[in-house]
Amino acid sequence: VYLLFQALRQISQRTINTASRRQYVNRVSENQKLFQEDNGLPVHLKGGAKDSLLYRATTGLTVFGTMYALYYLLVSSMPKKPN
């Protein structure tokens, strides 16, 4: 029983210890320099093209949703025509 327990413990430690670990690079200082740079851009656009695309898509969907809601508010306020 002791040998079985010891073998299981050794197998479990081996799989945990030898598992490949991703090495994360600390890029906080790079991002701080990017976002604190005074280049005239608002903070939500300093990330580059991805931020610009996300901003424009969000703005477009917001405008479309507002127009859609106003249209259905107008349609709902009109009385139905009798057949």
Side-chain angles (χ1 to χ4, degrees), residues 34-35 39 41-58:
L34 174 71
F35 285 100
N39 57 3
L41 288 175
V43 73
H44 59 273
L45 295 177
K46 285 191 177 191
K50 284 191 240 178
D51 283 351
S52 179
L53 180 66
L54 184 61
Y55 173 73
R56 289 178 190 210
T58 304

Side-chain angles (χ1 to χ4, degrees), residues 21-38:
R21 295 180 184 163
R22 291 185 178 176
Q23 295 295 323
Y24 293 105
V25 178
N26 188 0
R27 295 195 172 124
V28 173
S29 62
E30 294 173 20
N31 287 334
Q32 283 178 340
K33 288 177 187 175
L34 174 71
F35 285 100
Q36 290 177 355
E37 182 180 333
D38 187 19

